[in-house]
Amino acid sequence: MSGHNRLLTHSEWSARAATHRDRMNALVGPYFAERRAGVAHPVVDFLFTYYAARPAQVTRWHPGFGVSLERARRYTGLRGYIVDDDGTATVSQEHLESRIDLLDATLAITQATAGRAPRFGCFGLHEWAMVYRSDANRHPHPLRLGAVETDAVVERSGLRCTHFDAFRFFTDPARPRNAMDLTRADAVANEQPGCLHATMDLYRYCLRLSPLIGSDLLGDCFELALTARELDMRASPYDLTGVLDMTGRPYEPVPIETAEGRAQYAAEQTVVAERGAVLRESVIARCDDLRKRCRGASPMEQPGRYNICAG
């Protein structure tokens, strides 16, 4: 069954699986405990609810396509796997080929994003635009500055969002204030690597392509998505007093309504973008390699059959 796949012994892959599980638990173990108790977390929840991920999808280790696992009956029944009579598990060629549209769509948006210069002038105002002139908040936390001053910050600052999946949650009065009118159809044309959400979406792409893409790369993208999400909410209009991060420390706000806060945001955003650029190239390289392994695959065309940006 394994063909030309590289074989990992039971002891080899078990050790790697344990290391990955321990890594994820070190990053968000307290969140897993709170989730089991039914407690929501305004920062970390997003990485599971918005991206429709279960904790097991993040903590379970996958080797990626092209690697077989000795004595791995626990992978029986998992999507994409075949397990032979002696318990050797591998991701099937048939599963790879069933995901070619998704590979094409992922390559299209990641390559387009990688080819653009990053922009750092948004200052995280998408969260502010989501409550602009609205009586309803998206989170059960008060606004740091109150509704009137929150609206005033939006009006003074201007909106320069390039990410449709943030723009679509803007309030009706906020959308015309954005520098461009975004649609899902032009998401590939507008995505740029300075955007926190473009970086967080690398985690989305790895999730959707799992188990073809191995958990080591998914773990790297998840860790960076967590960093980006924390900055996202620290720069938001919400007062997170009393909310603790995964190390037990309070989230310190990034007050983007001030010049100092905007400078801090841009500096942290730049670090995230630089790390994201490296991981984006890894995702591109892996997707390109996977596509080449599809039997009879034609040259990649602009994707129209699969929308990678669908939330």
Side-chain angles (χ1 to χ4, degrees), residues 4 14 29 41 69 76 143 151 154 175 180 202 214 243 277 287-288 299:
H4 298 294
S14 294
H41 193 285
L69 306 178
T76 302
L143 302 177
D151 292 348
V154 172
R175 289 193 191 100
M180 63 178 72
L202 295 172
V243 180
C287 288
D288 185 57

Side-chain angles (χ1 to χ4, degrees), residues 45-59:
D45 260 343
F46 181 84
L47 299 180
F48 292 89
T49 56
Y50 178 76
Y51 289 118
R54 299 182 304 277
Q57 290 176 273
V58 173
T59 57

Side-chain angles (χ1 to χ4, degrees), residues 23 53 64 102 147 170 177 181 190 196 205 212 221 225 248 307:
R23 177 190 186 186
L102 180 55
F170 283 21
R177 291 184 168 274
D181 183 34
N190 290 321
L196 288 184
Y205 307 148
L212 295 172
C221 291
N307 191 346

